[in-house]
Amino acid sequence: MSKIMQNKGAISKDWISTAYKSFTDNQDNNKKELNEFRSTNYNLLTGLKFPTRRDEDWKYTNFNKAFNKSYVIGEKTDACTNWKEYSFEDLEAYRMVFINGHYSADHSTIDSLENGISIEPLHEALKNNETSQWVNSIISEQGGAETNAFAPFNSAFADNGYFVSVNNNIIVSKPICIIFLTDVQGQEHISHPQLFVKTGKGSEVTIIESYHAIDNSMVYFTNTCNWVDVGDNAKVDHYRLQFESRAAYQVNNTLATQGSNSVYSNYAVDFGGLMIRNNLSAILKGSGTMTNYYGAYLGSESQHIDNQTFIDHAMPHCESNELYKGVLKDHAKGIFNGKVLVRQDAQKTNAFQQNSSLVLSDTATMNAKPQLEIYADDVKCSHGATIGQLDEESVFYLESRGIPREQAKNLLQKAFVGEVINHFPLSEIKDKILERVDLKLFG
């Protein structure tokens, strides 16, 4: 049976203490290293406060309502209906499937990995002293969020976390597709997915994390964290595809560190969820790096989608490119806060950032705050944000060609976010996303 995580209430130290005791009382005492990892992060968590609207980078997003629930931990099951519908069947990939927060070996295909790559549970990885030191080092990185108790919250309740390691000069031939499915009926459930990725020098790998609900009305909360270490001359393509239920809450923390001459590209879509908060950070620790952020979001009804991005140019001769575009209608709310920090030694930095949004109803809102903080003097940096409506001349042009007005408007919306999606390298993923765009706009 699932166990109750909390009674109704707000985010407080008493809530955390009760939830943590309930959680740890049911854990395997033989997982010594993982239990120590949890305990260390729980102690860190008790010294922090969860953010409120008084915190500058959370002022438009209040997650207290997400905790005014009676959460349980989802039951472990392999009997998930229609799971293949969400598995990107056309894509040849290594697949890891999680159902209700639990790893499902029956639906996963990582038994026969190619040479030079390993995937193992976090509790096993932590038994290696070198890996344990690396894990504890990378989770200590602050990233861009000033107040971010959700990261140690994730680590304190760590369960079913995984560690992916790619050796030097290994080009992984197939993407690693990590699929999170929720199939809990009649229960408000909480999970804390974790992924650690460490790539060696000159390696290449594609990671795809996707979130789905079997029933679009299910209430649950996903608090997920990803830590990615991109080695010197390595390349990581990282997809985050969020198709949660329309009653779900999610906080996603992703932090990447980059070595010299590395490339980290993050491709993100947010189409589902009731309240979504994404904290995406990249710390450029070596010269000659390239960082790409591409994000698309579609919000309708009462959806709330908050994207916070951060790129730390700490070394010279680095580039970053960021493009986020979205469409909001009905009572939807969007937030974009993108910060690019160029430190004093980061000469010859080239940084571009753009956020553009269409707001299609008087009751939808968009708050955009692009930021450049520059301490070097030999740089090329630009940023911008636009918020507007559909171009009526373009709508009229399509109508004059015999396309009904509503269809014409939807086609223009698809073209608008399609500019971002067309940057996604994998055609199989791109096609699936565009199908989702059609479903949301035309369905």
Side-chain angles (χ1 to χ4, degrees):
M1 295 295 291
S2 302
K3 65 183 185 310
I4 295 177
M5 286 288 292
Q6 69 149 124
N7 292 318
K8 292 191 176 183
I11 311 172
S12 67
K13 290 185 178 180
D14 288 342
W15 182 92
I16 291 292
S17 176
T18 301
Y20 183 73
K21 185 177 186 306
S22 174
F23 174 73
T24 55
D25 283 349
N26 290 272
Q27 297 306 305
D28 186 351
N29 291 327
N30 293 323
K31 297 179 180 179
K32 175 185 174 183
E33 293 81 6
L34 180 58
N35 289 331
E36 290 176 351
F37 177 79
R38 292 169 178 147
S39 178
T40 298
N41 284 281
Y42 170 71
N43 291 333
L44 175 62
L45 178 62
T46 58
L48 300 174
K49 68 179 183 68
F50 278 88
T52 68
R53 287 183 174 174
R54 289 189 295 272
D55 297 290
E56 177 63 25
D57 57 353
W58 289 84
K59 67 179 181 179
Y60 297 113
T61 301
N62 181 6
F63 256 87
N64 275 328
K65 63 178 70 176
F67 285 82
N68 193 23
K69 310 289 181 184
S70 294
Y71 288 116
V72 302
I73 292 180
E75 293 185 353
K76 182 174 176 58
T77 178
D78 288 320
C80 183
T81 58
N82 302 324
W83 74 272
K84 287 188 176 180
E85 179 183 342
Y86 310 98
S87 65
F88 306 105
E89 287 184 277
D90 295 337
L91 180 67
E92 186 177 358
Y94 298 114
R95 286 176 174 79
M96 302 176 65
V97 179
F98 293 79
I99 304 173
N100 303 335
H102 299 281
Y103 178 67
S104 173
D106 287 356
H107 299 322
S108 301
T109 58
I110 59 170
D111 293 334
S112 300
L113 298 172
E114 59 200 85
N115 292 333
I117 176 175
S118 66
I119 301 176
E120 59 183 334
L122 180 61
H123 71 266
E124 292 292 340
L126 289 174
K127 293 178 181 179
N128 180 294
N129 287 334
E130 182 179 343
T131 301
S132 179
Q133 290 176 8
W134 173 82
V135 165
N136 286 288
S137 174
I138 198 168
I139 67 172
S140 68
E141 296 281 4
Q142 183 64 34
E146 295 178 4
T147 303
N148 191 7
F150 287 99
F153 182 36
N154 171 281
S155 297
F157 290 81
D159 197 18
N160 280 290
Y162 272 77
F163 172 66
V164 177
S165 176
V166 183
N167 292 347
N168 292 345
N169 303 312
I170 294 296
I171 298 177
V172 183
S173 64
K174 297 188 291 188
I176 300 171
C177 194
I178 307 166
I179 303 162
F180 298 96
L181 299 175
T182 299
D183 192 19
V184 176
Q185 300 294 335
Q187 295 176 313
E188 297 166 341
H189 112 267
I190 189 167
S191 64
H192 300 271
Q194 282 186 315
L195 180 67
F196 294 88
V197 180
K198 190 174 190 299
T199 64
K201 296 179 180 179
S203 62
E204 293 185 17
V205 67
T206 295
I207 304 290
I208 304 167
E209 55 169 320
S210 63
Y211 302 85
H212 314 263
I214 302 301
D215 184 332
N216 211 27
S217 64
M218 287 188 294
V219 179
Y220 55 94
F221 177 45
T222 305
N223 178 39
T224 185
C225 281
N226 305 290
W227 292 273
V228 182
D229 186 0
V230 189
D232 293 349
N233 298 292
K235 178 183 177 183
V236 174
D237 283 348
H238 184 185
Y239 292 78
R240 180 187 59 78
L241 313 177
Q242 185 274 113
F243 308 119
E244 299 276 31
S245 97
R246 295 299 289 272
Y249 301 88
Q250 184 183 117
V251 175
N252 186 302
N253 284 295
T254 295
L255 184 142
T257 59
Q258 295 185 241
S260 298
N261 302 304
S262 65
V263 180
Y264 174 74
S265 300
N266 189 281
Y267 306 97
V269 295
D270 285 289
F271 292 172
L274 176 62
M275 178 173 282
I276 302 296
R277 165 70 179 228
N278 300 308
N279 298 316
L280 172 61
S281 300
I283 302 173
L284 284 52
K285 293 188 170 185
S287 61
T289 64
M290 181 68 188
T291 308
N292 301 301
Y293 289 171
Y294 292 103
Y297 48 94
L298 295 176
S300 60
E301 298 177 359
S302 296
Q303 285 184 274
H304 182 112
I305 302 170
D306 183 347
N307 282 298
Q308 306 277 323
T309 69
F310 176 66
I311 300 177
D312 185 350
H313 283 270
M315 300 295 287
H317 299 282
C318 296
E319 295 185 34
S320 63
N321 180 60
E322 182 172 5
L323 178 63
Y324 269 67
K325 300 186 78 170
V327 178
L328 303 168
K329 61 182 181 180
D330 303 327
H331 294 273
K333 185 172 185 178
I335 300 97
F336 175 83
N337 187 354
K339 181 177 180 179
V340 176
L341 171 63
V342 182
R343 298 185 185 271
Q344 186 173 1
D345 293 334
Q347 304 294 342
K348 303 296 183 180
T349 288
N350 188 353
F352 167 81
Q353 180 193 92
Q354 178 67 39
N355 169 239
S356 299
S357 302
L358 293 177
V359 179
L360 304 183
S361 68
D362 293 338
T363 50
T365 59
M366 180 69 199
N367 293 282
K369 185 182 179 183
Q371 300 178 72
L372 289 177
E373 190 172 331
I374 302 173
Y375 298 97
D377 53 16
D378 187 4
V379 300
K380 293 180 181 179
C381 298
S382 64
H383 67 173
T386 61
I387 301 172
Q389 298 179 335
L390 287 173
D391 179 16
E392 279 298 324
E393 289 188 5
S394 298
V395 175
F396 177 76
Y397 174 82
L398 293 177
E399 286 185 287
S400 70
R401 297 300 186 270
I403 299 174
R405 181 173 178 80
E406 285 304 310
Q407 184 178 354
K409 291 167 67 175
N410 289 340
L411 286 171
L412 291 172
Q413 293 173 56
K414 182 178 181 179
F416 183 77
V417 296
E419 181 187 352
V420 172
I421 297 168
N422 283 332
H423 284 281
F424 292 20
L426 286 174
S427 59
E428 296 91 343
I429 296 297
K430 186 187 307 182
D431 292 343
K432 284 290 185 182
I433 294 171
L434 291 174
E435 286 178 13
R436 290 276 187 157
V437 173
D438 287 341
L439 184 62
K440 189 150 188 176
L441 294 178
F442 300 97

